[in-house]
Coordinates of all heavy atoms in Angstrom, one line a residue:
M1 N 102.0 10.9 -219.8 CA 101.0 10.3 -220.6 C 100.5 11.3 -221.7 O 100.1 12.4 -221.4 CB 99.9 9.9 -219.6 CG 99.0 8.7 -220.2 SD 99.8 7.2 -220.5 CE 100.0 6.5 -218.8
L2 N 100.5 10.8 -222.9 CA 100.1 11.6 -224.0 C 98.6 11.6 -224.2 O 97.9 10.7 -223.8 CB 100.7 11.1 -225.3 CG 102.2 11.2 -225.5 CD1 102.6 10.4 -226.7 CD2 102.6 12.7 -225.6
G3 N 98.1 12.6 -224.9 CA 96.8 12.6 -225.5 C 95.7 12.9 -224.4 O 95.9 12.9 -223.2
S4 N 94.5 13.1 -224.9 CA 93.4 13.3 -224.0 C 92.9 12.0 -223.5 O 92.0 12.0 -222.6 CB 92.3 14.0 -224.8 OG 91.9 13.3 -226.0
S5 N 93.4 10.9 -224.0 CA 93.1 9.6 -223.4 C 91.7 9.1 -223.6 O 90.8 9.8 -224.1 CB 93.5 9.5 -222.0 OG 94.7 8.8 -221.9
N6 N 91.5 7.8 -223.2 CA 90.3 7.1 -223.3 C 89.8 7.1 -224.8 O 88.6 6.8 -225.0 CB 89.2 7.8 -222.4 CG 89.5 7.7 -221.0 OD1 90.6 7.2 -220.6 ND2 88.7 8.1 -220.1
V7 N 90.7 7.2 -225.7 CA 90.4 7.0 -227.1 C 90.4 5.4 -227.2 O 89.7 4.9 -228.1 CB 91.5 7.6 -228.0 CG1 91.1 7.4 -229.4 CG2 91.7 9.0 -227.6
V8 N 91.1 4.8 -226.4 CA 91.2 3.4 -226.4 C 90.4 2.9 -225.1 O 90.7 3.3 -224.0 CB 92.6 2.8 -226.3 CG1 92.6 1.3 -226.3 CG2 93.4 3.4 -227.5
V9 N 89.4 2.0 -225.3 CA 88.7 1.5 -224.2 C 88.7 -0.1 -224.3 O 88.5 -0.6 -225.4 CB 87.2 1.9 -224.2 CG1 86.5 1.4 -223.0 CG2 87.1 3.4 -224.3
M10 N 89.1 -0.7 -223.2 CA 89.1 -2.1 -223.2 C 88.0 -2.6 -222.3 O 87.9 -2.2 -221.1 CB 90.4 -2.6 -222.7 CG 91.6 -2.1 -223.5 SD 93.2 -3.0 -223.3 CE 93.0 -3.8 -221.8
F11 N 87.2 -3.5 -222.8 CA 86.2 -4.2 -221.9 C 86.7 -5.5 -221.5 O 87.0 -6.3 -222.4 CB 84.9 -4.3 -222.6 CG 84.2 -3.0 -222.9 CD1 84.5 -2.3 -224.1 CD2 83.3 -2.4 -222.0 CE1 83.9 -1.0 -224.3 CE2 82.7 -1.2 -222.2 CZ 83.0 -0.5 -223.4
S12 N 86.9 -5.8 -220.3 CA 87.4 -7.0 -219.9 C 86.7 -7.5 -218.6 O 85.8 -6.9 -218.1 CB 88.9 -6.9 -219.7 OG 89.2 -6.2 -218.5
I13 N 87.2 -8.5 -218.0 CA 86.8 -8.9 -216.7 C 87.9 -8.9 -215.8 O 89.1 -9.1 -216.2 CB 86.1 -10.4 -216.7 CG1 87.1 -11.4 -217.4 CG2 84.8 -10.4 -217.4 CD1 86.7 -12.8 -217.2
S14 N 87.7 -8.5 -214.5 CA 88.8 -8.3 -213.6 C 89.5 -9.7 -213.4 O 88.8 -10.7 -213.3 CB 88.4 -7.6 -212.3 OG 87.4 -8.4 -211.7
G15 N 90.8 -9.7 -213.2 CA 91.5 -10.9 -212.9 C 91.8 -11.7 -214.2 O 92.2 -12.8 -214.1
C16 N 91.5 -11.1 -215.3 CA 91.9 -11.7 -216.6 C 93.3 -11.4 -216.9 O 93.7 -10.3 -217.1 CB 91.0 -11.2 -217.7 SG 91.6 -11.1 -219.4
C17 N 94.2 -12.5 -216.8 CA 95.6 -12.2 -216.8 C 96.1 -11.8 -218.2 O 97.0 -11.1 -218.4 CB 96.4 -13.4 -216.3 SG 96.1 -14.9 -217.2
M18 N 95.4 -12.4 -219.3 CA 95.7 -11.9 -220.6 C 95.6 -10.4 -220.8 O 96.3 -9.8 -221.6 CB 94.9 -12.7 -221.6 CG 95.4 -14.0 -222.1 SD 97.1 -13.9 -222.7 CE 96.9 -13.2 -224.3
C19 N 94.6 -9.9 -220.1 CA 94.3 -8.5 -220.2 C 95.4 -7.6 -219.8 O 95.6 -6.5 -220.3 CB 93.0 -8.2 -219.5 SG 91.6 -9.2 -220.0
H20 N 96.2 -8.1 -218.9 CA 97.3 -7.4 -218.4 C 98.4 -7.3 -219.5 O 99.0 -6.3 -219.8 CB 97.9 -8.1 -217.2 CG 99.1 -7.3 -216.6 ND1 98.9 -6.1 -216.0 CD2 100.4 -7.6 -216.5 CE1 100.1 -5.7 -215.6 NE2 101.0 -6.6 -215.9
V21 N 98.5 -8.4 -220.2 CA 99.5 -8.5 -221.3 C 99.1 -7.6 -222.5 O 99.9 -6.9 -223.1 CB 99.6 -10.0 -221.8 CG1 100.4 -10.1 -223.1 CG2 100.0 -10.9 -220.7
V22 N 97.8 -7.6 -222.7 CA 97.2 -6.9 -223.8 C 97.4 -5.3 -223.7 O 97.4 -4.6 -224.6 CB 95.7 -7.3 -224.0 CG1 94.9 -6.4 -224.8 CG2 95.7 -8.7 -224.6
K23 N 97.4 -4.9 -222.4 CA 97.6 -3.5 -222.2 C 99.0 -3.0 -222.6 O 99.1 -1.8 -222.9 CB 97.4 -3.2 -220.7 CG 96.0 -3.1 -220.2 CD 95.9 -2.7 -218.8 CE 96.3 -3.9 -217.8 NZ 96.0 -3.7 -216.4
Q24 N 99.9 -3.9 -222.6 CA 101.3 -3.5 -222.7 C 101.6 -2.7 -224.0 O 102.3 -1.7 -223.9 CB 102.3 -4.7 -222.5 CG 102.2 -5.3 -221.1 CD 102.3 -4.2 -220.0 OE1 103.2 -3.4 -220.0 NE2 101.4 -4.3 -219.1
P25 N 101.2 -3.2 -225.2 CA 101.4 -2.4 -226.4 C 101.0 -0.9 -226.3 O 101.7 0.0 -226.7 CB 100.7 -3.1 -227.5 CG 100.3 -4.4 -226.9 CD 100.4 -4.4 -225.4
F26 N 99.9 -0.7 -225.6 CA 99.3 0.6 -225.5 C 100.2 1.5 -224.6 O 100.6 2.6 -224.9 CB 97.9 0.6 -225.0 CG 96.9 0.0 -226.0 CD1 96.3 -1.2 -225.7 CD2 96.7 0.7 -227.1 CE1 95.4 -1.7 -226.6 CE2 95.8 0.2 -228.1 CZ 95.1 -1.0 -227.8
F27 N 100.6 0.9 -223.4 CA 101.4 1.6 -222.5 C 102.8 1.9 -223.1 O 103.3 3.0 -222.9 CB 101.5 0.9 -221.2 CG 100.3 1.0 -220.3 CD1 99.6 -0.1 -219.9 CD2 99.9 2.2 -219.9 CE1 98.5 0.0 -219.1 CE2 98.7 2.4 -219.1 CZ 98.0 1.2 -218.7
G28 N 103.2 0.9 -223.9 CA 104.5 1.1 -224.6 C 104.5 2.3 -225.5 O 105.5 2.9 -225.8
L29 N 103.3 2.6 -226.1 CA 103.2 3.7 -227.0 C 102.8 5.0 -226.3 O 102.6 6.0 -226.9 CB 102.1 3.3 -228.1 CG 102.4 2.2 -229.0 CD1 101.2 1.7 -229.8 CD2 103.5 2.7 -230.0
G30 N 102.6 4.9 -225.0 CA 102.2 6.1 -224.2 C 100.7 6.4 -224.3 O 100.3 7.5 -224.0
V31 N 99.9 5.4 -224.6 CA 98.5 5.5 -224.6 C 97.9 4.7 -223.4 O 98.2 3.5 -223.3 CB 97.9 5.0 -225.9 CG1 96.4 5.1 -225.9 CG2 98.4 5.7 -227.1
G32 N 97.2 5.4 -222.6 CA 96.6 4.8 -221.4 C 95.2 4.3 -221.7 O 94.3 5.2 -221.8
P33 N 94.9 3.1 -222.0 CA 93.6 2.6 -222.3 C 92.7 2.7 -221.1 O 93.1 2.5 -219.9 CB 93.7 1.2 -222.7 CG 95.0 0.7 -222.1 CD 95.9 1.9 -221.9
A34 N 91.4 3.1 -221.3 CA 90.4 3.0 -220.2 C 90.0 1.6 -220.1 O 89.8 0.9 -221.1 CB 89.3 3.9 -220.5
I35 N 89.9 1.1 -218.9 CA 89.6 -0.3 -218.8 C 88.3 -0.5 -218.0 O 88.1 0.1 -216.9 CB 90.7 -1.1 -218.1 CG1 92.0 -1.0 -219.0 CG2 90.3 -2.5 -217.8 CD1 93.2 -1.3 -218.2
V36 N 87.3 -1.1 -218.7 CA 86.0 -1.4 -218.0 C 86.0 -2.8 -217.6 O 86.1 -3.7 -218.5 CB 84.9 -1.1 -219.0 CG1 83.5 -1.3 -218.3 CG2 84.9 0.4 -219.4
E37 N 85.9 -3.1 -216.3 CA 85.8 -4.5 -215.9 C 84.3 -4.9 -215.8 O 83.6 -4.4 -214.9 CB 86.5 -4.6 -214.5 CG 88.0 -4.4 -214.7 CD 88.8 -4.5 -213.4 OE1 88.2 -4.3 -212.3 OE2 90.0 -4.9 -213.5
L38 N 83.9 -5.7 -216.8 CA 82.5 -5.9 -217.0 C 81.9 -6.6 -215.7 O 80.7 -6.3 -215.4 CB 82.3 -6.9 -218.2 CG 82.5 -6.2 -219.5 CD1 82.5 -7.2 -220.6 CD2 81.4 -5.2 -219.7
N39 N 82.6 -7.4 -215.1 CA 82.0 -8.1 -213.9 C 81.7 -7.2 -212.7 O 81.1 -7.5 -211.8 CB 82.8 -9.3 -213.5 CG 84.3 -9.0 -213.3 OD1 84.8 -8.1 -214.0 ND2 84.9 -9.5 -212.3
K40 N 82.3 -5.9 -212.8 CA 82.0 -5.0 -211.8 C 80.9 -4.0 -212.2 O 80.6 -3.1 -211.4 CB 83.3 -4.2 -211.5 CG 84.3 -5.1 -210.8 CD 85.5 -4.3 -210.4 CE 86.5 -5.2 -209.7 NZ 87.8 -4.5 -209.6
E41 N 80.4 -4.1 -213.4 CA 79.4 -3.2 -213.9 C 78.0 -3.7 -213.5 O 77.7 -4.9 -213.6 CB 79.5 -3.0 -215.4 CG 80.8 -2.4 -215.9 CD 81.0 -0.9 -215.4 OE1 80.0 -0.2 -215.4 OE2 82.1 -0.6 -215.0
K42 N 77.1 -2.7 -213.3 CA 75.8 -3.1 -212.9 C 75.1 -3.8 -214.1 O 74.3 -4.7 -213.9 CB 75.0 -1.8 -212.6 CG 73.7 -2.0 -211.9 CD 73.1 -0.6 -211.5 CE 71.7 -0.8 -211.0 NZ 71.1 0.5 -210.8
Y43 N 75.3 -3.3 -215.3 CA 74.6 -3.9 -216.5 C 75.5 -4.8 -217.2 O 75.5 -4.9 -218.5 CB 74.1 -2.7 -217.4 CG 73.2 -1.8 -216.7 CD1 73.5 -0.6 -216.3 CD2 71.9 -2.3 -216.4 CE1 72.6 0.3 -215.6 CE2 71.0 -1.5 -215.7 CZ 71.4 -0.2 -215.3 OH 70.5 0.6 -214.6
S44 N 76.3 -5.6 -216.5 CA 77.3 -6.4 -217.1 C 76.8 -7.3 -218.2 O 77.4 -7.5 -219.3 CB 78.2 -7.0 -216.1 OG 77.9 -8.4 -216.0
S45 N 75.7 -8.0 -217.9 CA 75.2 -9.0 -218.9 C 74.7 -8.3 -220.2 O 74.9 -8.8 -221.3 CB 74.2 -9.9 -218.3 OG 73.1 -9.2 -217.8
E46 N 74.1 -7.1 -220.0 CA 73.6 -6.4 -221.2 C 74.8 -5.9 -222.0 O 74.8 -6.0 -223.2 CB 72.8 -5.1 -220.8 CG 71.4 -5.4 -220.2 CD 71.4 -5.7 -218.7 OE1 72.5 -6.0 -218.2 OE2 70.3 -5.7 -218.2
M47 N 75.8 -5.4 -221.3 CA 77.0 -4.9 -222.0 C 77.7 -6.1 -222.7 O 78.2 -5.9 -223.8 CB 78.0 -4.3 -221.0 CG 77.5 -2.9 -220.6 SD 78.4 -2.3 -219.2 CE 79.8 -1.5 -220.0
Q48 N 77.7 -7.2 -222.1 CA 78.4 -8.4 -222.7 C 77.6 -8.8 -223.9 O 78.3 -9.2 -224.9 CB 78.5 -9.5 -221.7 CG 79.9 -9.5 -221.0 CD 80.0 -10.4 -219.8 OE1 79.1 -10.6 -219.1 NE2 81.2 -10.9 -219.6
S49 N 76.3 -8.8 -223.9 CA 75.6 -9.2 -225.1 C 75.8 -8.2 -226.3 O 75.8 -8.6 -227.4 CB 74.1 -9.5 -224.8 OG 73.4 -8.4 -224.4
V50 N 75.9 -6.9 -225.9 CA 76.1 -5.9 -226.9 C 77.5 -6.1 -227.5 O 77.7 -6.1 -228.8 CB 76.0 -4.5 -226.4 CG1 76.5 -3.4 -227.3 CG2 74.6 -4.1 -226.0
L51 N 78.5 -6.4 -226.7 CA 79.8 -6.6 -227.2 C 79.9 -7.9 -228.0 O 80.6 -7.9 -229.1 CB 80.8 -6.8 -226.0 CG 81.1 -5.5 -225.2 CD1 81.9 -5.9 -224.0 CD2 82.0 -4.6 -226.1
Y52 N 79.1 -8.9 -227.6 CA 79.0 -10.1 -228.4 C 78.6 -9.8 -229.8 O 79.1 -10.3 -230.8 CB 78.1 -11.1 -227.7 CG 77.9 -12.4 -228.4 CD1 78.9 -13.4 -228.4 CD2 76.7 -12.7 -229.0 CE1 78.7 -14.6 -229.0 CE2 76.4 -13.9 -229.6 CZ 77.5 -14.8 -229.6 OH 77.2 -16.0 -230.2
Q53 N 77.5 -9.0 -229.9 CA 77.0 -8.6 -231.3 C 78.0 -7.8 -232.0 O 78.2 -8.0 -233.2 CB 75.7 -7.9 -231.1 CG 74.5 -8.8 -230.8 CD 73.4 -8.1 -230.2 OE1 73.2 -6.9 -230.4 NE2 72.5 -8.8 -229.5
L54 N 78.6 -6.8 -231.4 CA 79.6 -5.9 -232.1 C 80.8 -6.7 -232.6 O 81.4 -6.3 -233.6 CB 80.0 -4.8 -231.1 CG 79.0 -3.7 -230.8 CD1 79.6 -2.8 -229.8 CD2 78.7 -3.0 -232.1
S55 N 81.2 -7.7 -231.9 CA 82.3 -8.5 -232.3 C 82.0 -9.6 -233.3 O 82.8 -10.5 -233.5 CB 83.1 -9.0 -231.1 OG 82.3 -9.8 -230.3
G56 N 80.8 -9.5 -233.8 CA 80.4 -10.5 -234.9 C 80.1 -11.9 -234.3 O 80.4 -12.8 -235.0
G57 N 79.6 -11.9 -233.1 CA 79.2 -13.2 -232.6 C 80.3 -14.0 -232.0 O 80.3 -15.2 -231.9
Q58 N 81.4 -13.3 -231.6 CA 82.5 -14.0 -231.0 C 82.5 -13.7 -229.5 O 82.5 -12.5 -229.1 CB 83.8 -13.5 -231.5 CG 84.2 -14.2 -232.9 CD 85.6 -13.7 -233.3 OE1 85.9 -12.6 -233.3 NE2 86.4 -14.7 -233.6
H59 N 82.6 -14.7 -228.7 CA 82.8 -14.5 -227.3 C 84.3 -14.3 -227.0 O 85.1 -15.1 -227.4 CB 82.3 -15.7 -226.5 CG 80.9 -15.7 -226.1 ND1 80.3 -14.6 -225.4 CD2 79.8 -16.5 -226.4 CE1 79.0 -14.8 -225.3 NE2 78.7 -15.9 -225.9
S60 N 84.5 -13.2 -226.3 CA 85.9 -12.9 -226.0 C 86.0 -12.4 -224.6 O 85.1 -11.7 -224.1 CB 86.4 -11.8 -227.0 OG 87.7 -11.4 -226.8
V61 N 87.1 -12.7 -223.9 CA 87.2 -12.2 -222.6 C 87.6 -10.7 -222.6 O 87.6 -10.0 -221.6 CB 88.3 -12.9 -221.8 CG1 87.8 -14.3 -221.3 CG2 89.6 -13.1 -222.5
L62 N 87.9 -10.3 -223.8 CA 88.4 -8.9 -224.0 C 87.9 -8.3 -225.3 O 88.1 -9.0 -226.3 CB 89.9 -8.9 -223.9 CG 90.5 -7.5 -223.9 CD1 90.7 -7.0 -222.5 CD2 91.8 -7.5 -224.7
S63 N 87.4 -7.1 -225.3 CA 87.1 -6.4 -226.5 C 87.8 -5.1 -226.4 O 87.7 -4.4 -225.4 CB 85.6 -6.2 -226.7 OG 84.9 -7.4 -226.6
V64 N 88.4 -4.7 -227.5 CA 89.1 -3.4 -227.5 C 88.5 -2.5 -228.5 O 88.2 -2.9 -229.7 CB 90.6 -3.7 -227.9 CG1 91.4 -2.3 -227.9 CG2 91.3 -4.7 -227.0
F65 N 88.2 -1.3 -228.1 CA 87.7 -0.2 -228.9 C 88.8 0.8 -229.1 O 89.4 1.3 -228.2 CB 86.5 0.4 -228.3 CG 85.2 -0.4 -228.4 CD1 85.0 -1.6 -227.6 CD2 84.2 0.0 -229.3 CE1 83.9 -2.3 -227.7 CE2 83.1 -0.8 -229.4 CZ 82.9 -1.9 -228.6
V66 N 88.9 1.2 -230.4 CA 89.8 2.3 -230.7 C 89.0 3.4 -231.4 O 88.4 3.1 -232.4 CB 91.0 1.8 -231.6 CG1 91.9 3.0 -232.0 CG2 91.8 0.8 -230.9
G67 N 89.0 4.6 -230.8 CA 88.2 5.7 -231.3 C 86.8 5.3 -231.5 O 86.2 5.6 -232.6
S68 N 86.2 4.7 -230.5 CA 84.7 4.3 -230.5 C 84.3 3.2 -231.6 O 83.2 2.9 -231.7 CB 83.8 5.5 -230.6 OG 83.7 6.0 -231.9
K69 N 85.3 2.7 -232.2 CA 85.0 1.5 -233.1 C 85.7 0.3 -232.6 O 86.8 0.3 -232.0 CB 85.6 1.8 -234.5 CG 84.6 2.4 -235.5 CD 85.2 2.6 -236.9 CE 85.8 1.3 -237.5 NZ 86.5 1.6 -238.8
I70 N 85.0 -0.8 -232.7 CA 85.5 -2.1 -232.2 C 86.7 -2.5 -233.0 O 86.6 -2.5 -234.3 CB 84.4 -3.2 -232.0 CG1 85.0 -4.3 -231.2 CG2 83.9 -3.6 -233.4 CD1 83.9 -5.2 -230.6
L71 N 87.8 -2.8 -232.4 CA 88.9 -3.4 -233.1 C 88.8 -4.9 -233.0 O 89.0 -5.6 -234.1 CB 90.2 -2.9 -232.4 CG 91.5 -3.5 -232.9 CD1 91.8 -3.0 -234.3 CD2 92.7 -3.1 -232.0
G72 N 88.5 -5.4 -231.9 CA 88.4 -6.9 -231.8 C 88.9 -7.4 -230.5 O 89.0 -6.6 -229.5
G73 N 89.2 -8.6 -230.4 CA 89.7 -9.2 -229.2 C 91.2 -9.3 -229.1 O 91.9 -8.6 -229.8
I74 N 91.7 -10.2 -228.3 CA 93.1 -10.3 -228.0 C 93.9 -10.6 -229.3 O 94.9 -10.0 -229.6 CB 93.4 -11.4 -227.0 CG1 92.8 -10.9 -225.6 CG2 94.9 -11.6 -226.8 CD1 92.8 -12.0 -224.6
E75 N 93.4 -11.6 -230.1 CA 94.1 -12.0 -231.3 C 94.2 -10.8 -232.3 O 95.3 -10.6 -232.8 CB 93.4 -13.2 -232.0 CG 93.3 -14.4 -231.1 CD 92.1 -14.4 -230.1 OE1 91.3 -13.4 -230.2 OE2 92.0 -15.3 -229.3
T76 N 93.2 -10.2 -232.6 CA 93.2 -9.1 -233.5 C 94.1 -8.0 -233.0 O 94.9 -7.4 -233.8 CB 91.8 -8.4 -233.7 OG1 90.9 -9.5 -233.8 CG2 91.7 -7.6 -234.9
L77 N 94.1 -7.7 -231.7 CA 94.9 -6.7 -231.2 C 96.4 -7.0 -231.4 O 97.2 -6.2 -231.8 CB 94.6 -6.4 -229.7 CG 95.5 -5.4 -229.0 CD1 95.2 -4.0 -229.5 CD2 95.4 -5.5 -227.5
M78 N 96.7 -8.3 -231.1 CA 98.1 -8.7 -231.2 C 98.6 -8.7 -232.6 O 99.7 -8.3 -232.9 CB 98.3 -10.1 -230.6 CG 98.2 -10.1 -229.0 SD 99.5 -9.0 -228.4 CE 99.1 -8.9 -226.7
V79 N 97.7 -9.1 -233.5 CA 98.1 -9.1 -234.9 C 98.4 -7.7 -235.4 O 99.4 -7.4 -236.0 CB 97.0 -9.7 -235.8 CG1 97.3 -9.6 -237.3 CG2 96.9 -11.2 -235.5
C80 N 97.5 -6.7 -235.0 CA 97.6 -5.3 -235.4 C 98.9 -4.7 -234.8 O 99.5 -3.9 -235.3 CB 96.4 -4.5 -234.9 SG 95.0 -4.9 -235.9
H81 N 99.3 -5.2 -233.6 CA 100.5 -4.7 -232.9 C 101.7 -5.3 -233.7 O 102.6 -4.5 -234.0 CB 100.5 -5.2 -231.5 CG 101.7 -4.8 -230.7 ND1 102.2 -3.5 -230.7 CD2 102.6 -5.5 -230.0 CE1 103.3 -3.5 -230.0 NE2 103.6 -4.7 -229.5
I82 N 101.6 -6.5 -234.1 CA 102.8 -7.1 -234.8 C 102.9 -6.6 -236.2 O 104.0 -6.3 -236.6 CB 102.6 -8.7 -234.8 CG1 102.8 -9.2 -233.3 CG2 103.6 -9.3 -235.7 CD1 102.3 -10.6 -233.1
N83 N 101.8 -6.4 -236.9 CA 102.0 -5.9 -238.3 C 101.9 -4.4 -238.4 O 101.8 -3.8 -239.5 CB 100.9 -6.6 -239.2 CG 99.5 -6.1 -239.1 OD1 99.3 -5.1 -238.4 ND2 98.6 -6.7 -239.8
D84 N 102.0 -3.7 -237.2 CA 102.1 -2.3 -237.2 C 100.9 -1.5 -237.6 O 101.0 -0.2 -237.7 CB 103.3 -1.8 -238.1 CG 104.6 -1.7 -237.3 OD1 104.5 -1.7 -236.0 OD2 105.7 -1.7 -237.9
T85 N 99.8 -2.1 -237.7 CA 98.6 -1.3 -238.0 C 98.1 -0.6 -236.7 O 97.4 0.4 -236.8 CB 97.4 -2.2 -238.5 OG1 97.6 -3.6 -238.1 CG2 97.3 -2.1 -240.0
L86 N 98.5 -1.1 -235.5 CA 98.0 -0.5 -234.3 C 98.5 1.0 -234.2 O 97.6 1.8 -233.9 CB 98.6 -1.3 -233.1 CG 98.0 -0.9 -231.7 CD1 96.5 -1.1 -231.7 CD2 98.7 -1.7 -230.6
V87 N 99.7 1.2 -234.6 CA 100.2 2.6 -234.5 C 99.4 3.5 -235.5 O 99.0 4.6 -235.1 CB 101.7 2.6 -234.8 CG1 102.2 4.1 -235.0 CG2 102.5 1.9 -233.7
S88 N 99.2 3.0 -236.7 CA 98.4 3.9 -237.6 C 97.0 4.1 -237.2 O 96.4 5.2 -237.4 CB 98.5 3.4 -239.1 OG 99.0 2.1 -239.1
L89 N 96.4 3.0 -236.6 CA 95.1 3.2 -236.0 C 95.0 4.2 -235.0 O 94.1 5.1 -234.9 CB 94.7 1.8 -235.4 CG 93.9 0.8 -236.2 CD1 93.7 -0.5 -235.5 CD2 92.5 1.4 -236.5
L90 N 96.0 4.2 -234.1 CA 96.0 5.1 -233.0 C 96.3 6.6 -233.5 O 95.7 7.5 -233.0 CB 97.1 4.7 -231.9 CG 96.8 3.5 -231.2 CD1 98.0 3.0 -230.3 CD2 95.6 3.6 -230.3
K91 N 97.1 6.7 -234.5 CA 97.3 8.0 -235.1 C 96.1 8.5 -235.8 O 95.7 9.7 -235.7 CB 98.5 7.9 -236.1 CG 99.8 7.9 -235.4 CD 101.0 7.9 -236.5 CE 102.3 7.9 -235.7 NZ 103.4 7.4 -236.6
A92 N 95.4 7.6 -236.4 CA 94.1 8.0 -237.1 C 93.1 8.5 -236.2 O 92.3 9.4 -236.6 CB 93.6 6.8 -237.9
V93 N 93.1 8.1 -235.0 CA 92.0 8.5 -234.0 C 92.6 9.6 -233.1 O 91.9 10.1 -232.2 CB 91.4 7.4 -233.2 CG1 90.7 6.4 -234.1 CG2 92.5 6.7 -232.3
G94 N 93.8 10.0 -233.3 CA 94.4 11.1 -232.6 C 95.0 10.7 -231.2 O 95.2 11.6 -230.4
A95 N 95.2 9.5 -231.0 CA 95.7 9.0 -229.7 C 97.2 9.2 -229.7 O 97.8 9.2 -228.6 CB 95.3 7.6 -229.4
L96 N 97.8 9.3 -230.8 CA 99.3 9.5 -230.9 C 99.7 10.8 -231.6 O 99.0 11.2 -232.5 CB 99.9 8.3 -231.6 CG 100.0 6.9 -230.9 CD1 100.7 5.9 -231.8 CD2 100.8 7.1 -229.6
Ligands
LIG1 C1 97.2 -6.2 -239.9 O1 96.3 -7.1 -239.3 C2 94.9 -6.6 -239.2 C3 94.1 -7.6 -238.4 O2 94.1 -8.9 -239.0 C4 94.4 -6.4 -240.6 O3 93.1 -5.9 -240.6 C5 95.3 -5.4 -241.3 O4 94.9 -5.3 -242.7 C6 96.7 -5.9 -241.3 N1 97.6 -4.9 -241.9 C7 98.6 -5.2 -242.6 C8 99.4 -4.0 -243.1 O5 99.0 -6.3 -242.9

C-alpha cells in the first residue's frame, strides 16, 4: 500500500453496496481510502448535515473527500475516474 494514506476519506453508511464498488478505483490505484460509516458514529446526524451542506445540498449515500476537500458523491467520483481526473487529483494531494 502506497502513501501515508487517509488522504482519501469516504463517508458512507455500512451495508451500502455501491460503496464497495466505489472503493475499487482507489484500491486499483493503490490508495486505501479511510472509510467512515456514518451510522456507526456517535454524531452521525450532525456529520450527515455537515456533509449535506458541503455537498451543496445534495443527499448522497456517499461523500468522498480527497485531500480534505470534498470531491462529491458516487456520480462525481465515477466521472472523475472515467475522465482521468481522479489520478491527477490524487497526485495533486500526494496520494500517488
Ligand atoms: C472530469 O469530470 C469532473 C467532474 O465532473 C470535472 O470536474 C472535470 O473538469 C472533468 N475533467 C476533464 C478533463 O474532463
Side-chain angles (χ1 to χ4, degrees):
M1 203 63 77
L2 289 172
S4 53
S5 256
N6 297 3
V7 186
V8 179
V9 184
M10 306 197 338
F11 292 89
S12 74
I13 49 168
S14 60
C16 151
C17 59
M18 272 309 284
C19 303
H20 185 68
V21 175
V22 161
K23 281 184 286 193
Q24 296 312 310
F26 292 112
F27 284 122
L29 294 165
V31 177
I35 297 159
V36 180
E37 293 181 332
L38 284 172
N39 51 323
K40 291 185 181 166
E41 298 293 322
K42 194 174 170 191
Y43 299 106
S44 104
S45 56
E46 287 87 346
M47 287 169 84
Q48 267 168 325
S49 65
V50 170
L51 288 170
Y52 178 74
Q53 283 161 20
L54 287 174
S55 55
Q58 280 185 309
H59 272 302
S60 180
V61 285
L62 183 93
S63 306
V64 182
F65 282 74
V66 176
S68 78
K69 263 180 62 186
I70 191 159
L71 177 66
I74 295 171
E75 297 81 8
T76 315
L77 179 69
M78 285 305 170
V79 174
C80 289
H81 180 48
I82 291 161
N83 79 7
D84 269 340
T85 21
L86 189 60
V87 172
S88 13
L89 266 172
L90 292 171
K91 281 183 180 159
V93 298
L96 285 181

